[in-house]
Amino acid sequence: MAIAHSPGRATDSLGTLLIAVGVVLLALLTLYLVGFDQGVISRSGMYLHELMHDGRHLLGVPCH
């Protein structure tokens, strides 16, 4: 006979909360890098800016 261990609900909700917080932080970082970074954080000069230039115009983010 096998005994299955079922974690408590507190563990499940904590794991879900950590994943949700991680996803939100990653989304905010991506939004900043694509929408507002002018080479300050990315340290790539204008490479990231030029790479995302058309996407910025498509999203309505001013970049000029």
Side-chain angles (χ1 to χ4, degrees):
M1 178 174 176
I3 298 174
H5 175 28
S6 175
R9 298 195 87 190
T11 306
D12 290 342
S13 62
L14 179 62
T16 304
L17 177 66
L18 289 175
I19 290 172
V21 167
V23 167
V24 167
L25 289 176
L26 185 62
L28 289 173
L29 177 65
T30 302
L31 177 65
Y32 174 77
L33 287 174
V34 171
F36 304 107
D37 182 48
Q38 298 290 328
V40 177
I41 298 292
S42 64
R43 302 260 182 201
S44 64
M46 295 302 288
Y47 178 73
L48 187 65
H49 174 82
E50 293 299 325
L51 184 64
M52 301 296 173
H53 189 86
D54 291 338
R56 286 183 176 147
H57 286 293
L58 181 66
L59 294 172
V61 177
C63 62
H64 297 231

